[in-house]
Amino acid sequence: MGTEYALLVAPSANRVYTQSAPDLTRAELAAFSAGALEGRLGPATPRDLGGQTYLVFATEDPLTSEDLAVLGNLSSGLALYELVPGDLLRPIRTSALDKFDDDLITIPKYSGKTNENFTKLLLNVTALASAWAGDFGSRTFTVLDPVAGRGTTLNQALMYGWNPIGIEIDGKDLDAYAAFLKTWLRRKRIKHSADITPVRREGRKLGRRFDVEFTSDDRRLTFFEADTTQARALMKRQVADLLVADLPYGVVHGSRTSKGLERGPAELLSAALPGWIELIRPGGAVGLSWNTHVAPREQAVELLERHGLAVLAPIGLEHWVDQGITRDVLVARRS
Ligand SMILES: C[S@@+](CC[C@H](N)C(=O)[O-])C[C@H]1O[C@@H](n2cnc3c(N)ncnc32)[C@H](O)[C@@H]1O
């Protein structure tokens, strides 16, 4: 029967997300198992232990320290225990890739921000769908968020020690992100250089770019203010291992009414996808989330397949966000 483990799911700040968190974590565990742990985790099932719901799963052999260094990166895992006969819980120490204090991700608060746990989940399942899933804990992935907003994905990628690239059409978002990151890096005494410069091609201004280079290693972050349909003109082919995007919701978000240029997600996807795909290395993966009220899943699948991507079967990540938004996730691999 092997070893049984019980995972306590973290209470999220967002009440609505909390209701879906156990289901989403179950799907995420399955993705970790298939992608990085050779399918060694049995299916997870919810179990009530002393009034708390845990996700319980079994393995044939006990988890190794390498396994625990991967599972420590689950987006909603609070604590992991070994289930000892007699309903006793033995705490298990996991480790995470985290390179920085978590206020890098929690401090920014703004209307239209993608939930932090969800952003980490989307990044995880995308990395786990790539050809390098087995190197989850060791590869320095380059992650492109082509609709980056104020940078939740970029900050999560930085947190993992990976190299983020963002594209965002709204210059105010670039300014807000640059101001936040520069202040945060200075306050944490992390040595770096940072610059905002114009981007021109053939004498035409395409936008601006914000670059950060870390002094301690060769990691870097690049954030472009540009229309993502022009992504191909901004950088070289095949620069990214992963493309992760929480697409515009097709609804007005609070104060974000200045976005006259914003298109619906299906329209944006069909205009931007050919350029995006050229930026991904073969073996790389795409993870998209979007509002199913404005574009059905089949339409998104058809679009990705038409552009030569292999779409993974639904992995159970659809969830309710609010009255106007039901969010689903599509993950695909570039061959
Ligand atoms: C759902 S939001 C992403 C939020 C982001 N994940 C965050 O947490 O800040 C989608 C973003 O896509 C941007 N966007 C819409 N159309 C775009 C385009 N053509 N080019 C680049 N960005 C675009 C919007 O301005 C918006 O910031």
Side-chain angles (χ1 to χ4, degrees), residues 247-251 265 289-296 324-328:
L247 295 171
Y249 286 84
V251 291
S289 64
W290 82 101
N291 180 8
T292 56
H293 290 290
V294 293
I325 303 175
T326 296
R327 192 159 47 190
D328 202 356

Side-chain angles (χ1 to χ4, degrees), residues 124-237:
N124 285 347
V125 296
T126 309
L128 291 163
S130 74
W132 312 288
D135 305 327
F136 185 91
S138 55
R139 185 182 176 88
T140 305
F141 285 91
T142 297
V143 180
L144 169 64
D145 183 343
V147 286
R150 295 193 183 181
T152 314
T153 311
L154 309 186
N155 285 342
Q156 182 56 55
L158 276 183
M159 189 70 168
Y160 273 171
W162 297 353
N163 291 317
I165 305 172
I167 307 172
E168 166 57 50
I169 201 163
D170 189 337
K172 290 195 293 307
D173 284 350
L174 179 132
D175 290 327
Y177 182 73
F180 161 73
L181 191 64
K182 285 196 286 190
T183 306
W184 189 88
L185 290 170
R186 219 175 304 129
R187 201 159 49 77
K188 300 283 174 177
R189 299 180 190 281
I190 296 166
K191 289 220 171 78
H192 68 281
S193 61
D195 240 334
I196 297 184
T197 48
V199 181
R200 295 181 199 285
R201 289 289 173 276
E202 292 150 11
R204 195 165 58 95
K205 187 176 175 213
L206 286 184
R208 293 179 297 159
R209 59 185 288 168
F210 169 54
D211 287 282
V212 175
E213 284 180 27
F214 291 86
T215 312
S216 60
D217 52 31
D218 57 2
R219 285 197 302 118
R220 55 180 306 132
L221 169 142
T222 310
F223 189 158
F224 294 96
E225 173 207 340
D227 186 333
T228 199
T229 59
Q230 303 297 308
R232 190 54 197 86
L234 300 171
M235 53 199 121
K236 290 199 288 253
R237 298 171 67 233

Side-chain angles (χ1 to χ4, degrees), residues 63-142:
L63 293 169
T64 63
S65 55
E66 289 80 27
D67 297 338
L68 294 169
V70 170
L71 288 176
N73 299 296
L74 276 160
S75 64
S76 296
L78 182 63
L80 184 67
Y81 302 90
E82 184 183 335
L83 204 52
V84 182
D87 273 359
L88 295 179
L89 296 174
R90 176 184 297 145
I92 303 277
R93 188 180 291 277
T94 58
S95 55
L97 286 171
D98 295 4
K99 299 284 183 284
F100 298 117
D101 296 340
D102 66 3
D103 59 358
L104 171 62
I105 290 166
T106 55
I107 290 176
K109 300 248 183 302
Y110 48 89
S111 158
K113 179 175 180 178
T114 307
N115 176 291
E116 298 142 16
N117 290 108
F118 177 74
T119 300
K120 188 172 177 182
L121 169 71
L122 186 59
L123 182 59
N124 285 347
V125 296
T126 309
L128 291 163
S130 74
W132 312 288
D135 305 327
F136 185 91
S138 55
R139 185 182 176 88
T140 305
F141 285 91
T142 297

